[in-house]
């Protein structure tokens, strides 16, 4: 995959065209073909066994699918967030579980390190993350701190000489069981609430770090999810990202980008579901005719088409708006509301698409092994991860009421 013809920021005006440029279309099509050939064959076993295809990340790195938003100096591609979203859309059509792991590595971990870390940290970690030699994760959520991730955070980091000592537990961490490098949030000043949080880069071999358990999920199976424990975990002071007690800006800016970036998962899954439904409706016969000839089935297909098209338009509009979010920006204002709205709409609409898709498939859609059932089980997560639908509504209404 080559992104040579794709200077950073080239697509700032994507939203104003209401469709993709020729270059963008080519990137989406190339990523689609790649995912169909390379990622789709892994999907069934991942779903059946919660199996992690250990070689997949190194191959994605070799084939140029990591480091999209990072400059070539660090081993990246020098593209932008919009392009990254197109790649995720394509990947999610064929293997949404790998898409989820890809975005946790690429955006939540690597892009956050790129945007917030110092030069030495970038040089140490980004080349490995961009090549796929290292797998990345982000640890914010805790057993007692989900929606109130900042206020209720219990993980602490105490400075002792040239180290910080981390104690606490993180839960539901994507890529947790297989991560080499984790961006982790902890309280350096517990009495200062959200303004006492700092970010750290933790390596899996640091003493005191361990994976407590790998979690089994209803959907996105094969994407690895874990509970992580920090038990007097010694992190070199040089692995503090940004300034001490300034982690909240990293969290908030990162969450806005994450929300813009995970919406394409919903789009890709919904697009694939619609394609499967069209094929099924044409081939499945009842009453001596293809079910596609029945107007109630046609009505469902028409509804699904409208939902997918509106998801796509909104998704691209918000990705374009988030494309040039300055470092430290986000977490407030229009972009905060827009990114929350993007994933809220995408997740809810994907659920509607999949509900109809299983209905069109009848009994075959209820069978675990069927592809449409795998896609159906991908519903709900995107209403929960990166801030639930309820929290997104609070963000949107909060911004509206400040006007
Ligand atoms: C598969 C998976 C992968 C994940 N990956 C990661 C990851 O890589 N890194 C990471 O840090 N986290 C990750 N998460 C965690 C995810 O972000 C949290 O699950 C999410 O933020 C919700 O937190 P919670 O599960 O504790 O729910 P809770 O906060 O306990 O919420 C329970 C319910 O209460 C509602 N609620 C809470 N507060 C309010 C309120 N003020 N008003 C109205 N309703 C409210 C919620 O909307 C929800 O319906 C992942 C989660 C899953 C399931």
């Amino acid at each position: 995959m080559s992104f040579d013809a794709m200077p950073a920021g080239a697509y700032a005006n994507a939203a104003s065209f209401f469709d993709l440029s020729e270059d963008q279309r080519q990137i989406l099509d190339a990523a689609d073909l790649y995912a169909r050939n390379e990622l789709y064959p892994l999907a069934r076993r991942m779903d059946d066994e919660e199996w992690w295809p250990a070689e997949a990340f190194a191959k994605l790195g070799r084939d140029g699918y990591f480091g999209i938003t990072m400059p070539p100096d660090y081993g990246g591609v020098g593209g932008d967030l919009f392009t990254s979203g197109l790649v995720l859309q394509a990947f999610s059509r064929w293997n949404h579980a790998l898409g989820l792991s890809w975005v946790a590595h690429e955006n939540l971990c690597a892009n956050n390190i790129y945007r917030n870390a110092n030069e030495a940290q970038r040089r140490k970690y980004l080349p490995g993350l961009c090549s796929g030699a290292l797998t990345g994760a982000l640890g914010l959520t805790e057993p007692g701190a989900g929606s109130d991730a900042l206020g209720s955070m219990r993980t602490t980091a105490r400075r002792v000489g040239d180290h910080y000592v981390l104690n606490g537990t993180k839960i539901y961490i994507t890529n947790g069981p297989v991560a080499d490098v984790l961006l982790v949030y902890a309280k350096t000043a517990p009495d200062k609430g959200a303004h006492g949080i700092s970010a750290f880069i933790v390596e899996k071999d640091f003493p005191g770090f361990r994976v407590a358990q790998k979690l089994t999920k209803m959907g996105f199976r094969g994407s690895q999810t874990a509970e992580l424990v920090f038990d007097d975990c010694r992190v070199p002071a040089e692995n503090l990202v940004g300034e001490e007690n300034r982690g909240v800006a990293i969290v908030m800016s990162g969450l806005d980008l994450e929300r813009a970036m995970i919406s394409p998962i919903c789009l890709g899954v919904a697009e694939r579901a619609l394609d499967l439904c069209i094929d099924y409706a044409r081939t499945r016969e009842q009453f001596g005719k293809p079910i596609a000839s029945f107007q109630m089935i046609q009505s469902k297909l028409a509804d699904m088409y409208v939902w997918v098209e509106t998801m796509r338009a909104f998704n691209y509009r918000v990705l374009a708006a988030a494309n040039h979010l300055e470092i430290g920006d986000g977490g407030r204002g229009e972009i905060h509301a827009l990114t929350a709205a993007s994933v809220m709409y995408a997740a809810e609409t994907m659920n509607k698409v999949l509900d109809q898709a299983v209905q069109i498939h009848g009994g075959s859609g209820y069978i675990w092994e069927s592809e449409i059932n795998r896609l159906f089980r991908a519903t709900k997560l995107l209403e929960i991860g990166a801030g639930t639908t309820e929290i997104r509504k609070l963000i949107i209404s909060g911004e509206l009421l400040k006007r």
Side-chain angles (χ1 to χ4, degrees):
M1 180 66 191
S2 164
F3 295 90
D4 291 349
M6 194 192 55
Y11 304 125
N13 294 326
S16 61
F17 296 114
F18 295 102
D19 203 355
L20 299 180
S21 68
E22 193 45 42
D23 287 348
Q24 289 169 324
R25 171 69 50 199
Q26 282 176 14
I27 287 166
L28 180 64
D29 290 348
D32 180 270
L33 187 63
Y34 179 87
R36 184 181 191 146
N37 290 333
E38 304 292 339
L39 309 183
Y40 187 55
L42 308 174
R44 174 85 182 261
R45 184 170 166 206
M46 288 175 73
D47 187 49
D48 280 350
E49 301 172 20
E50 279 269 13
W51 168 67
W52 175 245
E55 304 304 317
F57 264 33
K59 176 150 179 55
L60 283 166
R62 277 198 303 279
D63 295 337
Y65 281 108
F66 282 137
I68 291 172
T69 52
M70 285 149 258
D73 254 13
Y74 303 110
V77 165
D80 58 11
L81 192 82
F82 197 98
T83 306
S84 205
L86 294 179
V87 169
L88 185 57
Q89 177 190 346
F91 283 9
S92 300
R93 291 172 179 166
W94 300 105
N95 188 334
H96 54 273
L98 207 68
L100 178 68
S101 284
W102 179 90
V103 77
H105 166 98
E106 169 82 1
N107 184 265
L108 279 61
C109 180
N111 193 52
N112 253 331
I113 290 178
Y114 167 60
R115 286 171 63 86
N116 299 290
N118 62 32
E119 193 54 23
Q121 292 164 339
R122 284 172 162 186
R123 297 227 169 264
K124 182 165 180 190
Y125 292 107
L126 291 181
L129 290 166
C130 290
S131 74
L134 299 175
T135 298
L138 175 134
L140 171 65
T141 307
E142 300 182 0
S147 298
D148 184 25
L150 303 181
S152 299
M153 187 181 292
R154 292 281 169 271
T155 300
T156 56
R158 190 167 41 89
R159 179 90 191 230
V160 181
D162 58 358
H163 278 75
Y164 284 88
V165 178
L166 269 61
N167 278 290
T169 303
K170 298 286 176 184
I171 198 155
Y172 311 136
I173 306 306
T174 302
N175 295 343
V178 292
D180 303 290
V181 174
L182 301 100
L183 186 65
V184 173
Y185 296 99
K187 284 205 167 156
T188 31
D191 51 324
K192 289 191 184 155
H195 297 285
I197 291 172
S198 304
F200 298 91
I201 299 174
V202 176
E203 296 179 27
K204 71 166 194 276
D205 295 326
F206 285 173
F209 170 77
R210 74 188 154 85
V211 176
Q213 55 167 330
K214 172 178 152 173
L215 301 163
T216 305
K217 305 185 298 302
M218 69 177 246
F220 286 88
R221 289 161 57 82
S223 170
Q224 304 292 294
T225 315
E227 179 179 0
L228 307 173
V229 170
F230 303 83
D231 186 6
D232 281 338
C233 174
R234 284 169 63 80
V235 177
E238 70 216 27
N239 278 28
L240 171 72
V241 177
E243 289 175 46
E244 201 178 83
N245 297 334
R246 295 286 174 87
V248 66
I250 303 177
V251 180
M252 297 310 283
S253 171
L255 272 172
D256 279 2
L257 293 175
E258 178 180 340
R259 290 184 183 119
M261 263 309 293
I262 61 174
S263 305
I265 297 178
C266 304
L267 176 58
V269 168
E271 287 176 323
R272 176 70 183 150
L274 178 54
D275 281 352
L276 287 170
C277 286
I278 293 168
D279 283 351
Y280 192 79
R282 280 195 178 123
T283 51
R284 172 71 177 169
E285 292 197 359
Q286 285 298 288
F287 301 96
K289 298 177 196 162
I291 60 169
S293 63
F294 306 136
Q295 288 188 345
M296 275 191 272
I297 296 291
Q298 293 168 9
S299 165
K300 292 184 202 307
L301 292 174
D303 281 341
M304 291 166 74
Y305 169 80
V306 173
W307 291 330
V308 169
E309 286 298 317
T310 52
M311 280 168 87
R312 184 181 296 123
F314 193 29
N315 204 171
Y316 288 171
R317 181 228 182 301
V318 176
L319 272 173
N323 216 16
H324 294 292
L325 194 68
E326 294 294 331
I327 291 174
D329 269 3
R332 60 187 180 279
E334 186 72 14
I335 196 69
H336 196 37
L338 259 184
T339 51
S342 171
V343 67
M344 178 179 135
Y345 183 74
E348 291 185 342
T349 312
M350 177 183 114
N351 293 354
K352 291 201 294 188
V353 170
L354 264 301
D355 186 50
Q356 293 303 320
V358 170
Q359 196 65 20
I360 288 175
H361 279 73
S364 70
Y366 202 73
I367 301 304
W368 182 276
E369 285 81 13
S370 68
E371 184 174 355
I372 205 69
N373 189 265
R374 181 162 76 231
L375 301 186
F376 182 76
R377 285 183 280 105
T379 58
K380 293 314 290 182
L381 176 61
L382 278 303
E383 285 188 281
I384 295 169
T388 61
T389 298
E390 290 76 15
I391 296 303
R392 292 164 197 165
K393 287 183 175 174
L394 290 180
I395 291 171
I396 297 163
S397 58
E399 291 300 331
L400 290 175
L401 295 170
K402 277 186 208 158
R403 288 180 180 172

